[in-house]
Amino acid sequence: MRYIQEDLVMKRMNKRLISNKVWKFIFFIATSFALVSLGMLLYRIISQGIGFLDWEFITNFASRIPENAGIKAALIGSLWLMSVVAPVSIILGVSTAIYLEEYAKQNKLNDFIRMNISNLAGVPSIVFGLLGLTIFVRLFGFEKSILAAGLTMSLLILPVIIVAAQEAIRAVPNEQREASFGMGATKWQTIVRVIIPAAIPGILTGSILALSRAIGETAPLVVIGIPVILQFLPTGYLDTFTALPMQIFDWAKRPQEAFQYVASAGIIVLMVVLLTMNSIAIFIRNKFQKRY
């Protein structure tokens, strides 16, 4: 201990402690600013929209009169849209992640594919809207249908789900794979019975975040040409529909002040749908975390 310069050590420790306190204060201010901004936004939305939020608002169709305006067609349309987006994006995304992590060889081509999938996660949503307009609306002739919008939204969130599923699969310890092989299981049995159940919490977390983005996106729907006002409900996947973001966007851009309050009520409904989706995903994730 006599060879240690205590003055130098204390001087450096004091600098580190001061630096730690400064950065801690900066992070606290940043977090507080974000929480205060979120709280103010929620207060404004709830205070404006709670007066229009009743059962008639849920069961009525859109109207030019704010007091009679409802969100029935948009709410049902969003549920139809998610019934396409969820299975298509999750099945394709998880399957792609399994292939890239468990079957694909480590070479330049596969590394190039992985890199481009990660890059696609940051592409603006309007680009996917243009892609959906070209392929699904015009080339395949799906027109302004639920199927065209659902496939477009699936392309939008597919890279996010693939990347999240890859990370979840990588997090599964190799010891579990080796133990499964040691018991005589095949590659596919190991994936189905060991890897996927252990990776489900991470896969669900990424999937629900991606689906939350899809249900709140407006730009791709605008590019495809989805209408904002409908007086009927869709009966099939090739029918025309409208969605919650489109209806809220139409109300918010109107000059009448009353429609701003109606838009706030629509945002509350959208948040309730998102919270319900998140709650279901968290329940399933916690259930599998206890087992694995």
Side-chain angles (χ1 to χ4, degrees), residues 131-161:
L131 181 62
L133 176 65
T134 303
I135 297 178
F136 302 123
V137 176
R138 295 178 179 173
L139 182 61
F140 291 165
F142 293 152
E143 300 299 332
K144 304 171 185 178
S145 64
I146 297 171
L147 186 59
L151 293 176
T152 302
M153 289 298 188
S154 299
L155 290 178
L156 172 65
I157 66 174
L158 195 57
V160 179
I161 294 179

PDB file of all heavy atoms in Angstrom, residues 131-161:
ATOM      1  N   LEU A 131     -44.621   0.828 -52.283  1.00  0.00           N
ATOM      2  CA  LEU A 131     -44.421  -0.559 -52.699  1.00  0.00           C
ATOM      3  C   LEU A 131     -45.735  -1.323 -52.704  1.00  0.00           C
ATOM      4  O   LEU A 131     -46.032  -2.079 -53.645  1.00  0.00           O
ATOM      5  CB  LEU A 131     -43.421  -1.231 -51.753  1.00  0.00           C
ATOM      6  CG  LEU A 131     -43.069  -2.694 -52.049  1.00  0.00           C
ATOM      7  CD1 LEU A 131     -42.401  -2.813 -53.415  1.00  0.00           C
ATOM      8  CD2 LEU A 131     -42.170  -3.253 -50.964  1.00  0.00           C
ATOM      9  N   GLY A 132     -46.544  -1.135 -51.659  1.00  0.00           N
ATOM     10  CA  GLY A 132     -47.846  -1.793 -51.613  1.00  0.00           C
ATOM     11  C   GLY A 132     -48.779  -1.320 -52.706  1.00  0.00           C
ATOM     12  O   GLY A 132     -49.536  -2.114 -53.282  1.00  0.00           O
ATOM     13  N   LEU A 133     -48.740  -0.015 -53.022  1.00  0.00           N
ATOM     14  CA  LEU A 133     -49.565   0.522 -54.102  1.00  0.00           C
ATOM     15  C   LEU A 133     -49.183  -0.107 -55.439  1.00  0.00           C
ATOM     16  O   LEU A 133     -50.062  -0.453 -56.249  1.00  0.00           O
ATOM     17  CB  LEU A 133     -49.401   2.039 -54.168  1.00  0.00           C
ATOM     18  CG  LEU A 133     -50.130   2.763 -55.305  1.00  0.00           C
ATOM     19  CD1 LEU A 133     -51.635   2.644 -55.137  1.00  0.00           C
ATOM     20  CD2 LEU A 133     -49.711   4.233 -55.360  1.00  0.00           C
ATOM     21  N   THR A 134     -47.885  -0.285 -55.684  1.00  0.00           N
ATOM     22  CA  THR A 134     -47.419  -0.836 -56.957  1.00  0.00           C
ATOM     23  C   THR A 134     -47.724  -2.326 -57.083  1.00  0.00           C
ATOM     24  O   THR A 134     -48.204  -2.780 -58.138  1.00  0.00           O
ATOM     25  CB  THR A 134     -45.902  -0.604 -57.104  1.00  0.00           C
ATOM     26  OG1 THR A 134     -45.625   0.783 -56.994  1.00  0.00           O
ATOM     27  CG2 THR A 134     -45.415  -1.119 -58.446  1.00  0.00           C
ATOM     28  N   ILE A 135     -47.467  -3.084 -56.015  1.00  0.00           N
ATOM     29  CA  ILE A 135     -47.567  -4.543 -56.104  1.00  0.00           C
ATOM     30  C   ILE A 135     -48.980  -5.028 -55.812  1.00  0.00           C
ATOM     31  O   ILE A 135     -49.614  -5.703 -56.641  1.00  0.00           O
ATOM     32  CB  ILE A 135     -46.557  -5.204 -55.147  1.00  0.00           C
ATOM     33  CG1 ILE A 135     -45.129  -4.843 -55.558  1.00  0.00           C
ATOM     34  CG2 ILE A 135     -46.736  -6.725 -55.154  1.00  0.00           C
ATOM     35  CD1 ILE A 135     -44.067  -5.405 -54.638  1.00  0.00           C
ATOM     36  N   PHE A 136     -49.496  -4.715 -54.629  1.00  0.00           N
ATOM     37  CA  PHE A 136     -50.749  -5.322 -54.182  1.00  0.00           C
ATOM     38  C   PHE A 136     -51.979  -4.648 -54.782  1.00  0.00           C
ATOM     39  O   PHE A 136     -52.963  -5.326 -55.093  1.00  0.00           O
ATOM     40  CB  PHE A 136     -50.824  -5.286 -52.653  1.00  0.00           C
ATOM     41  CG  PHE A 136     -49.675  -5.986 -51.982  1.00  0.00           C
ATOM     42  CD1 PHE A 136     -48.873  -5.313 -51.074  1.00  0.00           C
ATOM     43  CD2 PHE A 136     -49.381  -7.300 -52.279  1.00  0.00           C
ATOM     44  CE1 PHE A 136     -47.811  -5.946 -50.458  1.00  0.00           C
ATOM     45  CE2 PHE A 136     -48.314  -7.954 -51.668  1.00  0.00           C
ATOM     46  CZ  PHE A 136     -47.523  -7.268 -50.765  1.00  0.00           C
ATOM     47  N   VAL A 137     -51.936  -3.319 -54.921  1.00  0.00           N
ATOM     48  CA  VAL A 137     -53.116  -2.600 -55.428  1.00  0.00           C
ATOM     49  C   VAL A 137     -53.204  -2.699 -56.948  1.00  0.00           C
ATOM     50  O   VAL A 137     -54.252  -3.050 -57.502  1.00  0.00           O
ATOM     51  CB  VAL A 137     -53.087  -1.126 -54.975  1.00  0.00           C
ATOM     52  CG1 VAL A 137     -54.264  -0.361 -55.583  1.00  0.00           C
ATOM     53  CG2 VAL A 137     -53.146  -1.040 -53.452  1.00  0.00           C
ATOM     54  N   ARG A 138     -52.103  -2.412 -57.650  1.00  0.00           N
ATOM     55  CA  ARG A 138     -52.135  -2.347 -59.108  1.00  0.00           C
ATOM     56  C   ARG A 138     -51.758  -3.662 -59.780  1.00  0.00           C
ATOM     57  O   ARG A 138     -52.441  -4.109 -60.696  1.00  0.00           O
ATOM     58  CB  ARG A 138     -51.226  -1.217 -59.585  1.00  0.00           C
ATOM     59  CG  ARG A 138     -51.717   0.159 -59.146  1.00  0.00           C
ATOM     60  CD  ARG A 138     -50.770   1.262 -59.582  1.00  0.00           C
ATOM     61  NE  ARG A 138     -51.259   2.582 -59.176  1.00  0.00           N
ATOM     62  CZ  ARG A 138     -50.577   3.718 -59.313  1.00  0.00           C
ATOM     63  NH1 ARG A 138     -49.353   3.699 -59.843  1.00  0.00           N
ATOM     64  NH2 ARG A 138     -51.102   4.871 -58.916  1.00  0.00           N
ATOM     65  N   LEU A 139     -50.651  -4.282 -59.351  1.00  0.00           N
ATOM     66  CA  LEU A 139     -50.189  -5.502 -60.013  1.00  0.00           C
ATOM     67  C   LEU A 139     -51.104  -6.686 -59.721  1.00  0.00           C
ATOM     68  O   LEU A 139     -51.546  -7.388 -60.638  1.00  0.00           O
ATOM     69  CB  LEU A 139     -48.757  -5.820 -59.581  1.00  0.00           C
ATOM     70  CG  LEU A 139     -48.112  -7.051 -60.231  1.00  0.00           C
ATOM     71  CD1 LEU A 139     -48.021  -6.871 -61.744  1.00  0.00           C
ATOM     72  CD2 LEU A 139     -46.739  -7.308 -59.635  1.00  0.00           C
ATOM     73  N   PHE A 140     -51.411  -6.916 -58.449  1.00  0.00           N
ATOM     74  CA  PHE A 140     -52.270  -8.037 -58.073  1.00  0.00           C
ATOM     75  C   PHE A 140     -53.754  -7.703 -58.157  1.00  0.00           C
ATOM     76  O   PHE A 140     -54.592  -8.595 -58.112  1.00  0.00           O
ATOM     77  CB  PHE A 140     -51.935  -8.515 -56.661  1.00  0.00           C
ATOM     78  CG  PHE A 140     -50.597  -9.184 -56.552  1.00  0.00           C
ATOM     79  CD1 PHE A 140     -50.021  -9.399 -55.318  1.00  0.00           C
ATOM     80  CD2 PHE A 140     -49.916  -9.610 -57.684  1.00  0.00           C
ATOM     81  CE1 PHE A 140     -48.787 -10.017 -55.208  1.00  0.00           C
ATOM     82  CE2 PHE A 140     -48.682 -10.235 -57.594  1.00  0.00           C
ATOM     83  CZ  PHE A 140     -48.115 -10.431 -56.356  1.00  0.00           C
ATOM     84  N   GLY A 141     -54.101  -6.439 -58.262  1.00  0.00           N
ATOM     85  CA  GLY A 141     -55.493  -6.036 -58.426  1.00  0.00           C
ATOM     86  C   GLY A 141     -56.341  -6.151 -57.171  1.00  0.00           C
ATOM     87  O   GLY A 141     -57.560  -6.346 -57.257  1.00  0.00           O
ATOM     88  N   PHE A 142     -55.733  -6.021 -55.986  1.00  0.00           N
ATOM     89  CA  PHE A 142     -56.502  -6.101 -54.747  1.00  0.00           C
ATOM     90  C   PHE A 142     -57.262  -4.811 -54.441  1.00  0.00           C
ATOM     91  O   PHE A 142     -58.069  -4.787 -53.498  1.00  0.00           O
ATOM     92  CB  PHE A 142     -55.577  -6.429 -53.568  1.00  0.00           C
ATOM     93  CG  PHE A 142     -54.987  -7.807 -53.630  1.00  0.00           C
ATOM     94  CD1 PHE A 142     -53.768  -8.080 -53.041  1.00  0.00           C
ATOM     95  CD2 PHE A 142     -55.660  -8.836 -54.270  1.00  0.00           C
ATOM     96  CE1 PHE A 142     -53.221  -9.358 -53.091  1.00  0.00           C
ATOM     97  CE2 PHE A 142     -55.126 -10.114 -54.327  1.00  0.00           C
ATOM     98  CZ  PHE A 142     -53.899 -10.372 -53.741  1.00  0.00           C
ATOM     99  N   GLU A 143     -56.957  -3.746 -55.187  1.00  0.00           N
ATOM    100  CA  GLU A 143     -57.613  -2.450 -55.007  1.00  0.00           C
ATOM    101  C   GLU A 143     -57.407  -1.940 -53.568  1.00  0.00           C
ATOM    102  O   GLU A 143     -56.415  -2.278 -52.929  1.00  0.00           O
ATOM    103  CB  GLU A 143     -59.101  -2.548 -55.367  1.00  0.00           C
ATOM    104  CG  GLU A 143     -59.353  -2.982 -56.802  1.00  0.00           C
ATOM    105  CD  GLU A 143     -58.781  -2.016 -57.829  1.00  0.00           C
ATOM    106  OE1 GLU A 143     -58.671  -0.816 -57.524  1.00  0.00           O
ATOM    107  OE2 GLU A 143     -58.447  -2.470 -58.947  1.00  0.00           O
ATOM    108  N   LYS A 144     -58.355  -1.152 -53.080  1.00  0.00           N
ATOM    109  CA  LYS A 144     -58.228  -0.540 -51.745  1.00  0.00           C
ATOM    110  C   LYS A 144     -58.864  -1.453 -50.700  1.00  0.00           C
ATOM    111  O   LYS A 144     -59.772  -1.052 -49.973  1.00  0.00           O
ATOM    112  CB  LYS A 144     -58.877   0.833 -51.735  1.00  0.00           C
ATOM    113  CG  LYS A 144     -58.328   1.776 -52.810  1.00  0.00           C
ATOM    114  CD  LYS A 144     -59.142   3.035 -52.911  1.00  0.00           C
ATOM    115  CE  LYS A 144     -58.660   3.913 -54.061  1.00  0.00           C
ATOM    116  NZ  LYS A 144     -59.479   5.139 -54.223  1.00  0.00           N
ATOM    117  N   SER A 145     -58.375  -2.657 -50.619  1.00  0.00           N
ATOM    118  CA  SER A 145     -58.994  -3.668 -49.770  1.00  0.00           C
ATOM    119  C   SER A 145     -58.205  -3.906 -48.496  1.00  0.00           C
ATOM    120  O   SER A 145     -57.083  -3.421 -48.319  1.00  0.00           O
ATOM    121  CB  SER A 145     -59.120  -4.986 -50.549  1.00  0.00           C
ATOM    122  OG  SER A 145     -57.824  -5.482 -50.879  1.00  0.00           O
ATOM    123  N   ILE A 146     -58.824  -4.669 -47.607  1.00  0.00           N
ATOM    124  CA  ILE A 146     -58.160  -5.047 -46.360  1.00  0.00           C
ATOM    125  C   ILE A 146     -56.915  -5.871 -46.652  1.00  0.00           C
ATOM    126  O   ILE A 146     -55.873  -5.698 -46.007  1.00  0.00           O
ATOM    127  CB  ILE A 146     -59.132  -5.832 -45.468  1.00  0.00           C
ATOM    128  CG1 ILE A 146     -60.330  -4.956 -45.070  1.00  0.00           C
ATOM    129  CG2 ILE A 146     -58.436  -6.385 -44.232  1.00  0.00           C
ATOM    130  CD1 ILE A 146     -61.433  -5.708 -44.364  1.00  0.00           C
ATOM    131  N   LEU A 147     -57.003  -6.763 -47.639  1.00  0.00           N
ATOM    132  CA  LEU A 147     -55.867  -7.629 -47.968  1.00  0.00           C
ATOM    133  C   LEU A 147     -54.678  -6.816 -48.466  1.00  0.00           C
ATOM    134  O   LEU A 147     -53.535  -7.063 -48.056  1.00  0.00           O
ATOM    135  CB  LEU A 147     -56.288  -8.652 -49.018  1.00  0.00           C
ATOM    136  CG  LEU A 147     -55.263  -9.724 -49.382  1.00  0.00           C
ATOM    137  CD1 LEU A 147     -54.877 -10.526 -48.143  1.00  0.00           C
ATOM    138  CD2 LEU A 147     -55.804 -10.641 -50.466  1.00  0.00           C
ATOM    139  N   ALA A 148     -54.920  -5.841 -49.335  1.00  0.00           N
ATOM    140  CA  ALA A 148     -53.824  -5.008 -49.851  1.00  0.00           C
ATOM    141  C   ALA A 148     -53.172  -4.212 -48.731  1.00  0.00           C
ATOM    142  O   ALA A 148     -51.938  -4.156 -48.622  1.00  0.00           O
ATOM    143  CB  ALA A 148     -54.352  -4.069 -50.935  1.00  0.00           C
ATOM    144  N   ALA A 149     -53.981  -3.601 -47.877  1.00  0.00           N
ATOM    145  CA  ALA A 149     -53.427  -2.815 -46.764  1.00  0.00           C
ATOM    146  C   ALA A 149     -52.720  -3.714 -45.756  1.00  0.00           C
ATOM    147  O   ALA A 149     -51.662  -3.360 -45.232  1.00  0.00           O
ATOM    148  CB  ALA A 149     -54.542  -2.028 -46.082  1.00  0.00           C
ATOM    149  N   GLY A 150     -53.295  -4.892 -45.479  1.00  0.00           N
ATOM    150  CA  GLY A 150     -52.685  -5.800 -44.522  1.00  0.00           C
ATOM    151  C   GLY A 150     -51.332  -6.313 -44.983  1.00  0.00           C
ATOM    152  O   GLY A 150     -50.376  -6.385 -44.195  1.00  0.00           O
ATOM    153  N   LEU A 151     -51.216  -6.657 -46.254  1.00  0.00           N
ATOM    154  CA  LEU A 151     -49.932  -7.126 -46.784  1.00  0.00           C
ATOM    155  C   LEU A 151     -48.906  -5.998 -46.805  1.00  0.00           C
ATOM    156  O   LEU A 151     -47.714  -6.225 -46.556  1.00  0.00           O
ATOM    157  CB  LEU A 151     -50.132  -7.698 -48.187  1.00  0.00           C
ATOM    158  CG  LEU A 151     -50.970  -8.987 -48.269  1.00  0.00           C
ATOM    159  CD1 LEU A 151     -51.177  -9.392 -49.718  1.00  0.00           C
ATOM    160  CD2 LEU A 151     -50.304 -10.114 -47.491  1.00  0.00           C
ATOM    161  N   THR A 152     -49.360  -4.784 -47.095  1.00  0.00           N
ATOM    162  CA  THR A 152     -48.444  -3.633 -47.073  1.00  0.00           C
ATOM    163  C   THR A 152     -47.925  -3.380 -45.666  1.00  0.00           C
ATOM    164  O   THR A 152     -46.721  -3.153 -45.461  1.00  0.00           O
ATOM    165  CB  THR A 152     -49.166  -2.378 -47.598  1.00  0.00           C
ATOM    166  OG1 THR A 152     -49.638  -2.621 -48.926  1.00  0.00           O
ATOM    167  CG2 THR A 152     -48.227  -1.182 -47.604  1.00  0.00           C
ATOM    168  N   MET A 153     -48.814  -3.410 -44.685  1.00  0.00           N
ATOM    169  CA  MET A 153     -48.387  -3.219 -43.301  1.00  0.00           C
ATOM    170  C   MET A 153     -47.493  -4.362 -42.832  1.00  0.00           C
ATOM    171  O   MET A 153     -46.581  -4.155 -42.013  1.00  0.00           O
ATOM    172  CB  MET A 153     -49.612  -3.108 -42.394  1.00  0.00           C
ATOM    173  CG  MET A 153     -50.397  -1.826 -42.560  1.00  0.00           C
ATOM    174  SD  MET A 153     -49.396  -0.376 -42.124  1.00  0.00           S
ATOM    175  CE  MET A 153     -50.641   0.907 -42.182  1.00  0.00           C
ATOM    176  N   SER A 154     -47.737  -5.566 -43.341  1.00  0.00           N
ATOM    177  CA  SER A 154     -46.876  -6.695 -42.986  1.00  0.00           C
ATOM    178  C   SER A 154     -45.457  -6.474 -43.480  1.00  0.00           C
ATOM    179  O   SER A 154     -44.483  -6.768 -42.770  1.00  0.00           O
ATOM    180  CB  SER A 154     -47.448  -7.996 -43.565  1.00  0.00           C
ATOM    181  OG  SER A 154     -48.734  -8.272 -43.052  1.00  0.00           O
ATOM    182  N   LEU A 155     -45.318  -5.947 -44.686  1.00  0.00           N
ATOM    183  CA  LEU A 155     -43.987  -5.624 -45.193  1.00  0.00           C
ATOM    184  C   LEU A 155     -43.317  -4.556 -44.338  1.00  0.00           C
ATOM    185  O   LEU A 155     -42.101  -4.588 -44.130  1.00  0.00           O
ATOM    186  CB  LEU A 155     -44.086  -5.135 -46.641  1.00  0.00           C
ATOM    187  CG  LEU A 155     -44.463  -6.155 -47.711  1.00  0.00           C
ATOM    188  CD1 LEU A 155     -44.550  -5.480 -49.070  1.00  0.00           C
ATOM    189  CD2 LEU A 155     -43.457  -7.293 -47.758  1.00  0.00           C
ATOM    190  N   LEU A 156     -44.117  -3.625 -43.842  1.00  0.00           N
ATOM    191  CA  LEU A 156     -43.570  -2.530 -43.029  1.00  0.00           C
ATOM    192  C   LEU A 156     -42.930  -3.034 -41.744  1.00  0.00           C
ATOM    193  O   LEU A 156     -41.833  -2.602 -41.367  1.00  0.00           O
ATOM    194  CB  LEU A 156     -44.685  -1.527 -42.714  1.00  0.00           C
ATOM    195  CG  LEU A 156     -44.367  -0.418 -41.713  1.00  0.00           C
ATOM    196  CD1 LEU A 156     -43.300   0.512 -42.268  1.00  0.00           C
ATOM    197  CD2 LEU A 156     -45.625   0.360 -41.368  1.00  0.00           C
ATOM    198  N   ILE A 157     -43.591  -3.952 -41.054  1.00  0.00           N
ATOM    199  CA  ILE A 157     -43.105  -4.392 -39.743  1.00  0.00           C
ATOM    200  C   ILE A 157     -42.318  -5.690 -39.805  1.00  0.00           C
ATOM    201  O   ILE A 157     -41.754  -6.116 -38.784  1.00  0.00           O
ATOM    202  CB  ILE A 157     -44.279  -4.547 -38.748  1.00  0.00           C
ATOM    203  CG1 ILE A 157     -45.210  -5.679 -39.188  1.00  0.00           C
ATOM    204  CG2 ILE A 157     -45.034  -3.235 -38.626  1.00  0.00           C
ATOM    205  CD1 ILE A 157     -46.307  -5.985 -38.176  1.00  0.00           C
ATOM    206  N   LEU A 158     -42.256  -6.318 -40.969  1.00  0.00           N
ATOM    207  CA  LEU A 158     -41.549  -7.595 -41.098  1.00  0.00           C
ATOM    208  C   LEU A 158     -40.078  -7.504 -40.681  1.00  0.00           C
ATOM    209  O   LEU A 158     -39.604  -8.377 -39.925  1.00  0.00           O
ATOM    210  CB  LEU A 158     -41.682  -8.112 -42.528  1.00  0.00           C
ATOM    211  CG  LEU A 158     -41.316  -9.580 -42.778  1.00  0.00           C
ATOM    212  CD1 LEU A 158     -42.154 -10.494 -41.896  1.00  0.00           C
ATOM    213  CD2 LEU A 158     -41.524  -9.936 -44.246  1.00  0.00           C
ATOM    214  N   PRO A 159     -39.320  -6.492 -41.120  1.00  0.00           N
ATOM    215  CA  PRO A 159     -37.910  -6.417 -40.685  1.00  0.00           C
ATOM    216  C   PRO A 159     -37.754  -6.294 -39.174  1.00  0.00           C
ATOM    217  O   PRO A 159     -36.823  -6.867 -38.589  1.00  0.00           O
ATOM    218  CB  PRO A 159     -37.394  -5.161 -41.403  1.00  0.00           C
ATOM    219  CG  PRO A 159     -38.307  -4.968 -42.557  1.00  0.00           C
ATOM    220  CD  PRO A 159     -39.638  -5.434 -42.092  1.00  0.00           C
ATOM    221  N   VAL A 160     -38.657  -5.567 -38.527  1.00  0.00           N
ATOM    222  CA  VAL A 160     -38.574  -5.404 -37.072  1.00  0.00           C
ATOM    223  C   VAL A 160     -38.767  -6.745 -36.373  1.00  0.00           C
ATOM    224  O   VAL A 160     -38.034  -7.097 -35.437  1.00  0.00           O
ATOM    225  CB  VAL A 160     -39.617  -4.384 -36.589  1.00  0.00           C
ATOM    226  CG1 VAL A 160     -39.555  -4.218 -35.075  1.00  0.00           C
ATOM    227  CG2 VAL A 160     -39.414  -3.046 -37.275  1.00  0.00           C
ATOM    228  N   ILE A 161     -39.755  -7.519 -36.831  1.00  0.00           N
ATOM    229  CA  ILE A 161     -40.023  -8.825 -36.217  1.00  0.00           C
ATOM    230  C   ILE A 161     -38.870  -9.787 -36.475  1.00  0.00           C
ATOM    231  O   ILE A 161     -38.475 -10.558 -35.592  1.00  0.00           O
ATOM    232  CB  ILE A 161     -41.350  -9.391 -36.754  1.00  0.00           C
ATOM    233  CG1 ILE A 161     -42.522  -8.508 -36.299  1.00  0.00           C
ATOM    234  CG2 ILE A 161     -41.552 -10.821 -36.287  1.00  0.00           C
ATOM    235  CD1 ILE A 161     -43.871  -8.965 -36.802  1.00  0.00           C
TER     236      ILE A 161
END
